Amino acid sequence: MLEIRNLRGGYGTVEVLRGVSLDIQAGEIVALLGSNGVGKTTVSSLLSGLMKPWGGEILFQGETISGLSSEAIVDRGLIHVPEGRHIFPNLSIRENLELGAYRRARKNRSANLEKVTTTFPRLKERFDQKAGTLSGGEQQMLAIGRGMMAEPELLILDEPSIGLSPLLVEEMFTLIGALNAGGLPVLLVEQNVLQSMEIASRAFVMENGLISLSGPTADLMNDPELKRSYLGLS
């Protein structure tokens, strides 16, 4: 589905990514893990066309998308749900969801609206409510639902658990697993290492703009460096 080769990028004159490589196969959840500030969100921004890469290559379904506009990347079905949700607070839940189909899947908007509200029934209960009045967990559901409206071929979720209570975090990861069980590949960009690895088949761990560890999550859970650095275990 997605292959990143030696991706480089940054801000101004500061290089953040120094040669990142990873891949996602059809039907799997891949976790991109690491502490705040290591470059995870920069990867997401480069993949979705919000930033231009300095070097390397991004292949999506076998075609190069490096340097394409965000609109062109959305048209191909690579959908990014950004960190911080970025909903439209003064628009209703329905209006926010309908905007998800603005570039892609517009003809299926009604059917997809029904699918999204079946997945997130709390949103359907409050269709005409202003999005800014929702709780943090409900806003995250809305952001993911808006992404689903575009019929993604691959969904990038950037820090979906950030700012949520432990109970809502558990619910959010369960929902992500359910979306994937329906056949949707997911790139899960997260600081929450333990719960991300519980639902992902493979993981890539970032440090200082590079991939420091990668492999099947079952193997990484037993890696002494990951246990020490991210799980607080010796």
Side-chain angles (χ1 to χ4, degrees), residues 169-232:
V169 168
E170 189 72 33
E171 184 178 353
M172 188 58 59
F173 279 98
T174 299
L175 285 167
I176 294 167
L179 291 174
N180 176 252
L184 177 64
V186 177
L187 174 60
L188 178 59
V189 181
E190 262 288 349
Q191 295 182 52
N192 190 325
V193 171
L194 186 58
Q195 287 183 283
S196 297
M197 289 180 50
E198 286 177 351
I199 65 169
S201 57
R202 293 185 297 126
F204 294 80
V205 181
M206 285 193 72
E207 290 184 5
N208 301 318
L210 292 167
I211 301 296
S212 59
L213 289 171
S214 65
T217 51
D219 295 342
L220 290 180
M221 286 291 281
N222 296 314
D223 186 280
E225 182 60 33
L226 184 132
K227 283 184 173 181
R228 182 169 55 253
S229 300
Y230 294 97
L231 303 181

Side-chain angles (χ1 to χ4, degrees), residues 72-192:
I73 290 171
V74 166
D75 289 344
R76 283 165 169 76
L78 181 57
I79 307 300
H80 178 198
V81 178
E83 179 183 356
R85 299 148 198 158
H86 294 283
I87 60 167
F88 298 97
N90 294 321
L91 298 182
S92 69
I93 289 171
R94 177 193 289 272
E95 289 166 334
N96 269 271
L97 290 173
E98 288 177 342
L99 282 171
Y102 179 75
R103 291 274 328 169
R104 179 177 161 86
R106 192 178 298 188
K107 65 180 181 179
N108 297 330
R109 187 171 64 183
S110 295
N112 288 333
L113 200 61
E114 186 63 33
K115 289 179 184 177
V116 167
T117 52
T118 299
T119 303
F120 301 107
R122 269 183 272 178
L123 299 181
K124 190 170 187 178
E125 294 166 6
R126 308 175 186 188
F127 244 13
D128 297 319
Q129 185 173 328
K130 291 273 200 277
T133 65
L134 298 176
S135 69
E138 290 165 342
Q139 289 185 15
Q140 187 63 66
M141 292 176 193
L142 177 57
I144 295 174
R146 184 178 59 190
M148 296 301 297
M149 289 291 294
E151 297 182 357
E153 300 287 334
L154 171 65
L155 189 65
I156 303 171
L157 298 178
D158 197 344
E159 305 283 8
S161 73
I162 196 166
L164 302 185
S165 69
L167 185 62
L168 284 174
V169 168
E170 189 72 33
E171 184 178 353
M172 188 58 59
F173 279 98
T174 299
L175 285 167
I176 294 167
L179 291 174
N180 176 252
L184 177 64
V186 177
L187 174 60
L188 178 59
V189 181
E190 262 288 349
Q191 295 182 52
N192 190 325

